[in-house]
Amino acid sequence: MRGADTERTRRWRLVLGAEGAGGGSGLADAELSDEDSRVDLVLAALYDKPDEEAAGGPRSAGLGASAPRVARWLGDIRRYFPSTVVQVMQRDAVDRLGLTRMLLEKELLSAVEPDVHLVGTLLSLNGVLPEETKETAREVVRKVVEELEERLAERTRAAIKGALDKASRTRRPRPGDVDWARTIHRNLKHYSPELGTIVPEQLVGYGRRQLSVQRDVILAVDQSSSMADSVVYSGLFGAVLASMRALKTSFVAFDTEVADLTEHLADPVDVLFGTQLGGGTDINRAIAYCQGLVGRPEKTLLVLISDLYEGGDEDELLHRIAELAGAGVQVVTLLALSDSGAPSYDHENAAALAELGIPAFACTPDQFPELMAAAIRGDDLQAWVARETS
């Protein structure tokens, strides 16, 4: 027990820091090894208050603005902490201590641990990155995109291909197109004991392979600053969908202006650097542009990825979406496409869309492949959401 108490004391001492461990708690006297002392200095650089503000409470904010010092600190946290903790600490430094400005420096950018949140920060700085930093920024973004592709791309292709195959099945197949496994399963109740076999009253088969585009998919992505993670994942999924010949994929990014980035879908990094995070939001203008892309309403799936905070004409926005749905376009609204949980969104606009029969919900990247497959199959998406969130 004594060893456990010592370890607990050590951990609390590192969490609270020298100032926070004062006040007669006894933690200030905890012995730290040489390595623990170095870890304590790393934590202090980010979380300890200046001396004049320290009041014996939890650690909070004190990293200096010196670029060399920050570079050393970035290297130290990667030495002492696992990558998941490093990413959290980097996020704290970006959010609270002005590290964003320092990411404009190539040396610092090379030292950070890449993750989705860092990519969002770099995209927000896209317009002000110095030339000597841009290539390093692209390398950081590409590393994250490649990791996400490895995790999500094949799952997405497989789910959508399965949905398209199911949609093309026929109950009047040609002999060479019979799906015998499904036919047997479907006709088990027609087993004949006299004949010792199944009498297939209903054949199940595959439709002839279609070389033409089977579905048109339009991704309309809100690039306001609150949607940073969603923009990153949307760019990846847009590129994956564009790689499938059975789909015609369009990618539209918007704030108060509209940018059609479809021609860049061969490379998700190009898509992401074509966006510009920040600014206002005119969803109505974006939907008006998307209306012009619809050539086959009954074959079109429009995925609007937005928190629905509209800076444009809300009434006209709802009217346009109602027109699209009435024409046969399948419309889905994702309030977020990220791992960050329940997003902040405009509840009134979400409720208005629900009255039009258009679901509005948050979706994680891991759920997105199954969502797209369900939409292509024509499943009830409200029921799908209820199952996924139950």
Side-chain angles (χ1 to χ4, degrees):
M1 286 296 294
R2 183 174 182 82
D5 289 342
T6 301
E7 176 62 14
R8 189 179 301 111
T9 300
R10 167 186 167 273
R11 287 175 177 269
W12 274 112
R13 167 62 182 79
L14 289 173
V15 168
L16 295 173
E19 295 293 341
S25 66
L27 294 175
D29 299 327
E31 292 187 11
L32 296 179
S33 66
D34 289 344
E35 180 157 332
D36 281 344
S37 295
R38 289 191 288 270
V39 171
D40 191 49
L41 289 174
V42 169
L43 291 169
L46 177 58
Y47 294 116
D48 277 359
K49 293 182 180 180
D51 291 341
E52 65 272 16
E53 296 180 16
R59 297 185 127 153
S60 175
L63 184 65
S66 161
R69 181 182 180 190
V70 173
R72 288 193 300 273
W73 178 79
L74 287 168
D76 286 343
I77 63 173
R78 294 176 74 171
R79 174 182 175 185
Y80 294 122
F81 300 99
S83 62
T84 51
V85 176
V86 169
Q87 291 167 9
V88 171
M89 295 177 74
Q90 285 179 174
R91 229 171 293 158
D92 286 345
V94 168
D95 292 342
R96 297 157 59 183
L97 304 176
L99 185 58
T100 299
R101 180 180 57 81
M102 297 183 192
L103 290 177
L104 300 179
E105 301 181 29
K106 181 177 179 179
E107 292 74 16
L108 289 180
L109 188 53
S110 300
V112 296
E113 183 78 19
D115 71 339
V116 170
H117 302 284
L118 178 63
V119 170
T121 301
L122 290 176
L123 296 181
S124 70
L125 296 170
N126 189 12
V128 295
L129 285 173
E131 283 301 320
E132 61 271 19
T133 305
K134 284 184 177 179
E135 192 53 41
T136 304
R138 288 183 69 88
E139 291 172 5
V140 170
V141 172
R142 187 169 297 283
K143 180 178 179 181
V144 173
V145 166
E146 287 175 351
E147 290 173 354
L148 295 178
E149 280 183 321
E150 185 175 348
R151 168 184 147 200
L152 298 167
E154 280 310 312
R155 279 185 50 209
T156 303
R157 294 189 186 97
I160 292 175
K161 183 179 182 299
L164 291 170
D165 286 347
K166 183 174 182 179
S168 68
R169 286 196 185 104
T170 175
R171 294 183 179 179
R172 300 181 63 184
R174 303 178 187 186
D177 295 331
V178 176
D179 182 344
W180 287 109
R182 290 182 178 274
T183 295
I184 292 170
H185 185 269
R186 182 70 59 85
N187 291 278
L188 285 174
K189 61 183 178 181
H190 301 305
Y191 177 78
S192 170
E194 294 81 9
L195 298 175
T197 187
I198 292 172
V199 179
E201 293 190 1
Q202 185 180 83
L203 297 176
V204 179
Y206 302 105
R208 287 287 177 175
R209 182 178 295 277
Q210 301 183 41
L211 299 179
S212 59
V213 173
Q214 298 180 49
R215 292 287 192 280
D216 299 339
V217 178
I218 303 171
L219 298 179
V221 184
D222 183 342
Q223 57 181 358
S224 56
S225 56
S226 60
M227 300 294 292
D229 288 4
S230 298
V231 171
V232 175
Y233 283 113
S234 299
L236 169 66
F237 282 119
V240 172
L241 298 178
S243 72
M244 303 184 68
R245 289 187 296 176
L247 303 178
K248 177 187 175 185
T249 304
S250 301
F251 190 98
V252 176
F254 66 90
D255 40 39
T256 54
E257 301 294 329
V258 176
D260 190 331
L261 302 176
T262 303
E263 65 179 20
H264 299 296
L265 283 174
D267 186 343
V269 176
D270 286 344
V271 173
L272 294 178
F273 275 95
T275 63
Q276 182 58 65
L277 291 173
T281 309
D282 191 339
I283 309 173
N284 177 54
R285 186 171 186 175
I287 296 300
Y289 180 86
C290 292
Q291 275 185 300
L293 299 178
V294 177
R296 306 184 301 168
E298 71 288 350
K299 296 288 187 182
T300 300
L301 170 61
L302 170 60
V303 183
L304 171 62
I305 303 171
S306 172
D307 54 18
L308 299 179
Y309 288 112
E310 172 65 312
D313 190 325
E314 290 185 2
D315 292 336
E316 190 173 347
L317 166 64
L318 295 173
H319 178 72
R320 286 188 189 280
I321 292 180
E323 276 187 343
L324 285 165
V329 175
Q330 188 175 13
V331 183
V332 178
T333 299
L334 300 185
L335 303 169
L337 178 55
S338 70
D339 293 308
S340 56
S344 171
Y345 64 95
D346 190 307
H347 291 260
E348 290 186 6
N349 281 336
L353 288 175
E355 290 181 6
L356 297 174
I358 296 168
F361 52 92
C363 178
T364 67
D366 286 323
Q367 291 173 316
F368 188 77
E370 285 69 36
L371 166 66
M372 291 296 293
I376 288 171
R377 288 193 303 265
D379 295 353
D380 182 342
L381 292 186
Q382 295 285 18
W384 183 88
V385 173
R387 287 196 304 271
E388 290 294 314
T389 57
S390 61

